[in-house]
C-alpha cells in the first residue's frame, strides 16, 4: 500500500497546540497522550534503530513507532501478529458476522459512562448470542465467538456498536457432537434484537440502582429515578438494531475481514484527502445512499474533537472472546472442536516474510535486521552528518 499524502499527525502538528489551549479543561490524560504519541510517531523524537540486510549488507535508519493503539500508523504490525494467532484457531466451517447497536438516545449517557456501558454492550450482546444459540428451537448448541467494539461512524460521529464473528455451529450440550448451523442462516435477528434489548435495559436499571452511572450536563436530569425510568420505558418501545451480514463462507474469508476490522481506529490516514491551513477533507461512505463515496471538510479543531471522542479508557480491551473461545477455556475447547470436525490445525509459518517486525531490503529483498538501537540525539547527529556530506558534494 502506498504511503498516504496526508496523515492525522499533520493535523495535530498544524492545530494541536491551538486545540489543547481551547479544550485543555475537558481533555483527559489519555487523549493528551494520544495527541503527543501520534505527532511524534516515526520521527526522530522517539529514537530509532539501524537496520542491515543479512544478504547484501545494505544499511538504513528507521524511526521508532509510538505503538499507541489509537495511532493510524501503528496498527499494521499489531494486526498482523494478532491475525497469525487467530489463524491457528479457525475451524473448517462457515462463519457469520453480526452487528449489535444501541439507540441514538443512549449515546450521550454512554459517553459519560464509557467503561461501564461499553462493558455492558459487550456483555449484553454476548449473553444474547449464547442464550439464543443454546435454545433447542434454534441451534441448541454452545457457540464461541469474538466481539470487536467500534465507537465511530463514517463521519467520526459517535456510533457505538459491536461486531461479532461467529463460527457456524457449536458444541452439543454434552460436548459429544458438533452441531452445524444452516449455511446461509445462523440465528433469527428479530429474536436477537428483542433479547439484546431486554438484557441491555436490565443492565442499565441495575447500574442505576447500584449507583454505577454518572450524570452530567444534558444527562443530569436522568439522575432522577422517575426520569431514568421514563427513559427505560422509551427504550423498550423501540426496535433495537441487530444486523446480520452475509456469511463469510470459508475461514480464509474470515481472515480477510478481520484484517480490515480488528485494529482499526476512528479514521485511517488513507481516507484523508487534503489538509490545508484551515480544514481537513476526508472520504466517507454514505451507507444511507447505497454506500456512495463522498467527501467532508471539517475545521482542524472539529476534526480533532471528533477523533479524540473515540479514545477508549485506559486498559479497556476492544476485542473480547466468549463461549468456547473464552480465554480460559479456548485451548481445550478448540482441541475438542477439531476432534469432532476431524480437523488438523495449520502449521504456523516460519518464513521471515511473514514476520511483521521485519522488512525487506530495497536492494535485494532480503530480510533487514536491527543491528543498533539509536537515541533521538544519535539520530539527529546521523542526519546532520548526511546533510554535511550532501553539502560538500
Amino acid at each position: 500500500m502506498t504511503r498516504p499524502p496526508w496523515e492525522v499527525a499533520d493535523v495535530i502538528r498544524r492545530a494541536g497546540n491551538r486545540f489543547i489551549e481551547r479544550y485543555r479543561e475537558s481533555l483527559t490524560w489519555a487523549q493528551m497522550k494520544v495527541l503527543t504519541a501520534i505527532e511524534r510517531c516515526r520521527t526522530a523524537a522517539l529514537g530509532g534503530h539501524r537496520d542491515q540486510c543479512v544478504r547484501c549488507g545494505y544499511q538504513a535508519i528507521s524511526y521508532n513507532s509510538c505503538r499507541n493503539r489509537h495511532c493510524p500508523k501503528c496498527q499494521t504490525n499489531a494486526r498482523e501478529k494478532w491475525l497469525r494467532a487467530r489463524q491457528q484457531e479457525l475451524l473448517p466451517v462457515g462463519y457469520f458476522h453480526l452487528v449489535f447497536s444501541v439507540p441514538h438516545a443512549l449515546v450521550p449517557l454512554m459517553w459519560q459512562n464509557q467503561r461501564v456501558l461499553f462493558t455492558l454492550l459487550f456483555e449484553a450482546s454476548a449473553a444474547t448470542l449464547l442464550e439464543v444459540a443454546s435454545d433447542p428451537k434454534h441451534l441448541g448448541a454452545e457457540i464461541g465467538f469474538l466481539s470487536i467494539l467500534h465507537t465511530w461512524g463514517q463521519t467520526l460521529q459517535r456510533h457505538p456498536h459491536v461486531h461479532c464473528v461467529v463460527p457456524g455451529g457449536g458444541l452439543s450440550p454434552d460436548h459429544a457432537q458438533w452441531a452445524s448451523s444452516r449455511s446461509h442462516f445462523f440465528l433469527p435477528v428479530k429474536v436477537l434484537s428483542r433479547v439484546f434489548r431486554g438484557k441491555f435495559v436490565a443492565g442499565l436499571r441495575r447500574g442505576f440502582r447500584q449507583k454505577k452511572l454518572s450524570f452530567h450536563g444534558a444527562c443530569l436530569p436522568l439522575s432522577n429515578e422517575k426520569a431514568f425510568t421514563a427513559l427505560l420505558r422509551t427504550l423498550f418501545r423501540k426496535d433495537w438494531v441487530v444486523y446480520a451480514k452475509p456469511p463469510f463462507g470459508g475461514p480464509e474469508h474470515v481472515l480477510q475481514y478481520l484484517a480490515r476490522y480488528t485494529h482499526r481506529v476512528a479514521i485511517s490516514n488513507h481516507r484523508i484527502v487534503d489538509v490545508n491551513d484551515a480544514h481537513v477533507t476526508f472520504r466517507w461512505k454514505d451507507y444511507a445512499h447505497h454506500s456512495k463515496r463522498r467527501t467532508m471538510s471539517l475545521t482542524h479543531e472539529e476534526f480533532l474533537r471528533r477523533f479524540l471522542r473515540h479514545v477508549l479508557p485506559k486498559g479497556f480491551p476492544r476485542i473480547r472472546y466468549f463461549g468456547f473461545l473464552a480465554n480460559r477455556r479456548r485451548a481445550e475447547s478448540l482441541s475438542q472442536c477439531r476432534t469432532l470436525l476431524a480437523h488438523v490445525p495449520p502449521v504456523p509459518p516460519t518464513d521471515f516474510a511473514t514476520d511483521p517486525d521485519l522488512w525487506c531490503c530495497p536492494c535485494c529483498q532480503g530480510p533487514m535486521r536491527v543491528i543498533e538501537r539509536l537515541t533521538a540525539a544519535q539520530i539527529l547527529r546521523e542526519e546532520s552528518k548526511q546533510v554535511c556530506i550532501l553539502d560538500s558534494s
Side-chain angles (χ1 to χ4, degrees):
M1 185 178 289
T2 58
R3 183 175 179 178
W6 300 100
E7 300 178 348
V8 174
D10 295 317
V11 186
I12 297 174
R13 293 185 187 108
R14 292 192 181 211
N17 291 336
R18 186 169 66 249
F19 178 84
I20 291 172
E21 289 176 6
R22 179 174 178 180
Y23 294 102
R24 185 182 300 275
E25 291 186 0
S26 60
L27 290 175
T28 65
W29 174 84
Q31 291 171 330
M32 292 286 289
K33 185 177 180 181
V34 167
L35 286 174
T36 303
I38 294 177
E39 181 180 14
R40 302 173 71 192
C41 184
R42 297 184 190 175
T43 68
L46 294 182
H49 45 88
R50 191 190 308 276
D51 306 320
Q52 180 173 300
C53 176
V54 300
R55 292 180 183 170
C56 69
Y58 170 82
Q59 291 190 5
I61 291 177
S62 302
Y63 296 136
N64 289 333
S65 299
C66 68
R67 297 184 182 274
N68 189 291
R69 64 173 170 166
H70 298 94
C71 175
K73 287 189 291 191
C74 284
Q75 299 309 301
T76 301
N77 283 0
R79 180 180 64 238
E80 292 303 320
K81 287 182 178 179
W82 186 85
L83 285 174
R84 282 191 297 165
R86 301 290 79 75
Q87 189 173 23
Q88 309 306 309
E89 300 169 0
L90 292 176
L91 298 172
V93 298
Y95 277 73
F96 292 85
H97 173 200
L98 297 100
V99 184
F100 291 79
S101 301
V102 300
H104 183 71
L106 269 176
V107 169
L109 184 61
M110 292 190 75
W111 252 256
Q112 291 186 11
N113 299 272
Q114 291 187 22
R115 190 176 293 275
V116 174
L117 295 187
F118 287 167
T119 298
L120 178 59
L121 179 55
F122 270 119
E123 292 176 348
S125 57
T128 297
L129 280 173
L130 292 169
E131 179 179 311
V132 177
S134 65
D135 190 332
K137 292 187 297 184
H138 302 298
L139 184 61
E142 179 187 350
I143 60 174
F145 55 96
L146 63 89
S147 298
I148 308 160
L149 173 67
H150 284 185
T151 62
W152 57 84
Q154 280 284 301
T155 58
L156 302 183
Q157 298 287 24
R158 298 176 296 186
H159 175 48
H161 56 285
V162 165
H163 296 264
C164 301
V165 179
V166 195
L171 294 168
S172 62
D174 60 1
H175 287 199
Q177 292 181 331
W178 175 265
S180 296
S181 66
R182 284 180 272 175
S183 60
H184 293 284
F185 178 82
F186 186 57
L187 295 171
V189 291
K190 289 186 178 180
V191 175
L192 291 172
S193 175
R194 290 195 297 268
V195 175
F196 174 55
R197 178 183 61 189
K199 291 185 179 299
F200 199 99
V201 171
L204 284 172
R205 184 179 291 111
R206 186 168 55 252
F208 184 87
R209 289 175 178 172
Q210 296 174 354
K211 302 186 183 302
K212 292 183 177 180
L213 301 179
S214 300
F215 303 93
H216 310 286
C219 293
L220 186 59
L222 294 176
S223 60
N224 178 274
E225 186 173 359
K226 289 185 177 179
F228 192 80
T229 302
L231 171 66
L232 297 186
R233 283 199 299 267
T234 301
L235 293 173
F236 225 95
R237 294 190 192 106
K238 295 183 178 181
D239 291 329
W240 288 37
V241 177
V242 176
Y243 176 57
K245 290 193 173 185
F248 292 114
E252 65 280 0
H253 300 293
V254 181
L255 284 181
Q256 293 173 13
Y257 164 80
L258 292 178
R260 297 194 304 268
Y261 271 75
T262 53
H263 290 72
R264 287 175 68 175
V265 296
I267 187 170
S268 69
N269 288 329
H270 288 272
R271 283 177 56 197
I272 300 177
V273 177
D274 183 48
V275 179
N276 58 34
D277 291 337
H279 294 88
V280 183
T281 303
F282 59 92
R283 289 188 295 270
W284 66 285
K285 288 183 181 179
D286 187 353
Y287 290 121
H289 296 87
H290 309 289
S291 298
K292 185 174 181 179
R293 293 183 179 274
R294 303 182 187 277
T295 59
M296 175 177 288
S297 292
L298 300 174
T299 64
H300 294 159
E301 291 185 3
E302 176 61 14
F303 177 86
L304 291 175
R305 188 183 71 85
R306 293 192 187 188
F307 180 81
L308 290 175
R309 276 178 167 179
H310 306 289
V311 173
L312 294 175
K314 181 181 179 182
F316 188 87
R318 196 174 63 187
I319 304 175
R320 303 191 184 190
Y321 306 85
F322 300 94
F324 65 69
L325 286 180
N327 292 331
R328 291 184 178 181
R329 47 183 303 211
R330 185 185 308 160
E332 180 182 351
S333 296
L334 280 176
S335 177
Q336 188 172 17
C337 291
R338 292 194 187 100
T339 299
L340 295 174
L341 291 165
H343 174 245
V344 178
V347 178
T350 56
D351 184 72
F352 82 87
T354 65
D355 188 343
D357 286 337
L358 300 178
W359 59 288
C360 295
C361 172
C363 300
C364 70
Q365 300 304 305
M368 298 284 289
R369 296 192 181 276
V370 177
I371 60 172
E372 183 183 7
R373 301 288 178 181
L374 301 172
T375 64
Q378 288 174 317
I379 288 180
L380 290 175
R381 285 198 295 270
E382 290 285 341
E383 291 178 344
S384 298
K385 290 179 184 177
Q386 294 297 326
V387 172
C388 292
I389 292 173
L390 291 174
D391 290 343
S392 62
S393 60

